[in-house]
Each structure stands twice: as structure tokens, then as C-alpha cells.
Amino acid sequence: MDSILVRGNGPVTGDIEIAGAKNACLTLMPATLLSEEPLTLTNAPRLSDIKTMTALLTSLGVEISGLQEGKVLTMSSHATPNPVADYEIVRKMRASNLVLGPLLARLGHAIVSLPGGCAIGARPMDLHTTALEALGAEIELKDGYLHAKTRGGLKGAVHKMRFPSVGATENFVMAATLAKGTSVLENAAREPEIVDLVACLKKMGAQIEGEGTDRIEIQGVDRLHGATHPVVTDRIELGTFMLAPAICGGEVTCLGGKLSLVESFVTKLNEAGIEVTETPRGLTVKRTGDRVKAVNVTTEPFPGFPTDLQAQMMALLCTATGTSVLEETIFENRFMHAPELIRMGAQIEVHGGHATVHGVERLKGAQVMATDLRASVSLILAGLAAEGETVVSRVYHLDRGYEFVEKKLSGIGAHIERIKA
Ligand code: UD1
């Protein structure tokens, strides 16, 4: 297994290109199942999670081309899809559950493996199944698979979710595009990736209003057609790379970055003493003082502070002046990076959903282990702020969500290299 070697760094400077959003692409790809005509995605990120979704869709009968070195992915689901999403693929990536809504809408039935747990929490599927049941699906769990069927197709309905789940919102919206009549989702998630999915579905002929608010209304149509759609900028990759100059000092422009994607994150960076400026090229980030100031952070559904930037923010706060408290409200077990940061000299106490970080002057390089995708990149950021060398192992987590991370970070002057196993 590859690892990443990072040497403690001075200031970083230059431009860094931000890719299309992994989480948007992972919901845009299954949308191809809704139509017999081709769907082309441009600005697709080159990541192992996208390869996993490609394998899943291929197993369902979708023909896919592109995305070797380019960023264009063309998918065609012209033949009747196979309704079974196999455990061997689904277990690798939870977002595989996003084929459930589209398969049900297109075929009236689907058999999708439950994904199982993951490092950051139990991650049940009840919000997905109750949302689809509201549209008339009958869903039963047998042998680890969700067996879903409809009697005469999905029917529009009003449904209120108990929590604004991103994936359940996406499954509901995709399913409702082909349901009979009007569907309304209340307490819907508002993430930019959902707004991007809806923009694509509208190009395919869907009738949807209210995306980006907590009430989405969908008027079912008989069929959807082909479309070409650029994947929205990855706000999590954006936030991650914005932290490089925040941690090392210097000035970096994240090309394609927009404030509207990361507003609550930028509020916290500003509180910590980091300057962020929006220009037509992207977001420019500059650390003015020597050390950042401590800030308190609570993760929340969008537009709140994203859970997917909590680990990286913790890496920054490890060297802040003062004490920061980070509260994780989305996933019950998302402080796995804390013990690794402690190995690097950080002073962190974790109590349930809270982590208290007492800032130290400097971290020290160490051998550390990535436990999930965002944890792994937080250790790389910490390594950039540390004295000496840090080796981050198990970087297959990293490759799920960051394309060419060594190339991108060395482009702004970071000392980072991949050690091939
Ligand atoms: C998506 C993102 C992930 C991000 C998360 C929260 C993708 C591919 N992944 O994941 O990177 O961290 O949003 O912003 O877009 N829950 C239930 N029952 C359900 C579904 C979820 O209780 O049926 C709970 C989860 O356990 C979790 C919370 O709801 O505690 C949020 O999950 P959800 O918004 O569904 O996240 P995902 O869509 O899985």
C-alpha cells in the first residue's frame, strides 16, 4: 500500500486547481439510469470512488466511456438496467445506495445491497427507505439486500424527513422525477451537490423547484432525455486546499473557488485570522499573523460548517494560540484523526461528540495512519505544519477523494511525495 511523505514546510504560494465535486459526481452518475439517452458529465474528478461508481453502473448494464485522463464521462443506459446492485461493489462505497431511487423510478423494482457501516459511523438507510416508501415503494430487507418494488410505478406524495439527509434527498428527488403527479420533500438537504443534481435533472427534462431550500417540489414527467452537464466545484477539496496557506503561511489562489460554496467555513477562517478574497479566478487565501487564533466549530448540515472539513480544521487548530472546541453533530465517530494528531504532538481531548484542542507552538513529524478519507488529508495538512517528516500510510482512503494530491500540493511549494509500496 502506498504512503505519503510530507516534510514540514515554509510558506506555500501559487495557484491550485480545484476539481469537480466527488459527491456531486457520485449522485449525477446514477441519474443516467433515469433515461435511455446518454448523459455526459464534464469536469468529472479522477478518483477511485468514481471508478467504483463506474464499476457499479457497468454491472447494472450502463455503458460508460471516458475518464481515463480526461474529465469527461459519457454514460448510456439505453438497455433495460439490471436491477441488482451487488454487495461486493456496494460495500466498498456507501454512495452506491444512490442507485436505489433511479432504479425504482426506471424499472419499478430494485434489489440493492445494504452498504454496511463505515469508519465514521453506523450510517443507516432508514431515511432513504421511508422517503421512497412515501412515493409508494414497498421495501423489504432480505439477506442483506433491500428488495424494493412498486405496484404500478411510483406516485407523487408529500414527505417530511426527520433529518435533512443528503443521500436520501438525492434518492427521493431522482425517484420523484418519473413518479406520477407532484412530490414534495420537506426538511430536504440544501447542499450545493443537490442543487447541481437538480440542475442536471432539469436539463434532462425534469420539473423541479426549490432546490437549495428545505422544500423541494417535483412534478413527475413521463420520460427524461439525454444531457451534458459540468460537475460543480468540489467545496470540500476547495476548503482542504484553502487550509494549506492557513497552516503553512503564504498566499494561495484556489482556482474556481467560490465563497457561496464555503461561507460558514470562511467565517471560521476569518475568525482564526485568515484572509480570504474572492476574485473572478477563485478564492485567494492568506495568513497574516504568525499563528492562527483558536475558534470553536460545530458541524451542521449545509449551510452550516461541513462535517467533511472538520478533520482538516482540527489540523489547523492544533497550532492555534488558545483552546478550540470542535463539536461533531453529523457522525457519531468522526474524531479518528485525533489520536493520530496526538502522535504528532497535538493536545486534544475527545469527549463524545466534542474535541477540545489546546494549541501548541509546533507539531512534530511522525508515522501516522489514515482511517478515512478526510482524516487522511488532515494528517497531510498537519504534516505540512510539523517539524521533520510525517509518513501517512493507508492512503487508499485519500485516493477516494483527492486527485493528484501530491502534484497539486507540490505545485504550491509543499514538500510532499508518494512512496509506492
Ligand atoms: C453525504 C456525503 C458525505 C457527507 C455527508 C454529510 C456523499 C456521497 N457523501 O453522505 O461526504 O459527510 O453527506 O454532509 O454525498 N442517516 C440516518 N439514516 C439514513 C441516512 C442518514 O440516520 O437513512 C444519518 C447518518 O448516519 C448521519 C447523518 O444522517 O449521521 C447524515 O447522513 P447523510 O446526510 O445521509 O450523509 P450521506 O448522504 O451518506
Side-chain angles (χ1 to χ4, degrees):
M1 270 180 277
D2 293 358
S3 42
I4 297 272
L5 171 75
V6 189
R7 286 193 188 87
N9 226 85
V12 283
T13 49
D15 294 346
I16 197 161
E17 199 187 313
I18 306 301
K22 168 180 86 78
N23 287 351
C25 204
L26 289 176
T27 185
L28 288 162
M29 290 175 73
T32 196
L33 292 164
L34 293 166
S35 172
E36 292 166 15
E37 293 178 19
L39 174 63
T40 298
L41 299 176
T42 59
N43 196 36
R46 289 150 290 182
L47 303 168
S48 67
D49 268 9
I50 302 302
K51 285 192 188 142
T52 306
M53 183 58 85
T54 300
L56 176 61
L57 291 176
T58 305
S59 77
L60 300 180
V62 177
E63 285 171 19
I64 307 189
S65 60
L67 208 72
Q68 294 309 319
E69 284 311 311
K71 300 181 190 175
V72 179
L73 198 55
T74 297
M75 297 163 292
S76 170
S77 180
H78 59 89
T80 305
N82 158 27
V84 185
D86 194 85
Y87 176 66
E88 280 313 312
I89 304 181
V90 175
R91 71 179 174 85
K92 292 187 188 159
M93 186 180 69
R94 189 181 157 81
S96 304
N97 61 24
L98 294 169
V99 300
L100 179 59
L103 280 176
L104 256 182
R106 172 92 177 263
L107 299 172
H109 59 276
I111 302 175
V112 176
S113 170
L114 273 184
C118 71
I120 60 177
R123 309 187 79 176
M125 282 284 289
D126 58 308
L127 294 168
H128 297 248
T129 52
T130 49
L132 295 170
E133 279 163 355
L135 296 176
E138 293 171 12
I139 305 181
E140 230 188 319
L141 176 65
K142 272 191 265 173
D143 308 324
Y145 283 74
L146 293 172
H147 291 246
K149 60 178 193 228
T150 65
R151 288 177 201 268
L154 295 169
K155 293 180 187 68
V158 179
H159 177 66
K160 183 171 183 172
M161 284 198 295
R162 70 169 163 78
F163 177 85
S165 155
V166 175
T169 299
E170 293 164 345
N171 257 330
F172 183 94
V173 170
M174 286 192 277
T177 56
L178 294 177
K180 283 192 195 81
T182 307
S183 302
V184 176
L185 185 63
E186 293 174 351
N187 201 22
R190 294 184 276 168
E191 270 67 4
E193 293 74 26
I194 292 165
V195 175
D196 199 41
L197 169 67
V198 170
C200 177
L201 293 171
K202 282 182 176 172
K203 286 179 197 160
M204 294 169 74
Q207 292 188 15
I208 306 174
E209 280 172 22
E211 67 277 16
T213 76
D214 62 1
R215 185 182 185 279
I216 305 180
E217 187 169 325
I218 306 112
Q219 187 67 51
V221 295
D222 288 340
R223 61 183 297 276
L224 295 179
H225 51 75
T228 296
H229 179 78
V231 180
V232 69
T233 301
D234 195 317
R235 66 196 164 94
I236 306 302
E237 193 200 28
L238 171 64
T240 301
F241 290 140
M242 287 170 75
L243 285 168
I247 281 188
C248 297
E251 184 173 327
V252 168
T253 298
C254 294
L255 300 174
K258 289 197 171 60
L259 266 184
S260 58
L261 293 172
V262 281
E263 237 155 343
S264 54
F265 172 69
V266 168
T267 303
K268 289 294 161 188
L269 284 188
N270 291 157
E271 260 182 58
I274 305 295
E275 276 177 26
V276 180
T277 322
E278 186 167 36
T279 71
R281 297 175 69 234
L283 293 182
T284 300
V285 185
K286 186 175 170 188
R287 191 180 83 193
T288 41
D290 242 11
R291 279 172 73 185
V292 296
K293 287 180 257 172
V295 292
N296 296 334
V297 172
T298 302
T299 62
E300 285 168 345
F302 191 86
F305 191 99
T307 173
D308 287 351
L309 285 172
Q310 178 261 110
Q312 302 90 311
M313 190 70 180
M314 185 186 283
L316 173 73
L317 296 174
C318 283
T319 53
T321 52
T323 297
S324 311
V325 177
L326 291 102
E327 188 186 358
E328 174 56 59
T329 71
I330 309 292
F331 292 110
E332 67 272 21
N333 193 22
R334 208 170 196 183
F335 287 132
M336 308 273 277
H337 40 284
E340 301 300 307
L341 290 168
I342 290 169
R343 300 195 68 245
M344 299 178 70
Q347 289 188 10
I348 305 170
E349 294 143 24
V350 176
H351 298 287
H354 293 79
T356 306
V357 182
H358 306 283
V360 296
E361 205 167 325
R362 191 106 205 247
L363 294 174
K364 295 187 179 74
Q367 264 186 299
V368 286
M369 198 186 279
T371 45
D372 69 66
L373 165 57
R374 308 302 171 187
S376 60
V377 84
S378 77
L379 298 172
I380 291 178
L381 289 171
L384 293 178
E387 204 178 299
E389 283 186 359
T390 296
V391 177
V392 184
S393 56
R394 295 204 185 165
V395 291
Y396 54 85
H397 291 297
L398 188 75
D399 297 331
R400 289 187 45 210
Y402 291 90
E403 55 168 42
F404 316 123
V405 68
E406 323 84 276
K407 200 170 148 200
K408 286 190 178 184
L409 283 173
S410 38
I412 53 168
H415 300 139
I416 173 168
E417 60 190 89
R418 181 175 291 249
I419 307 168
K420 289 267 176 206

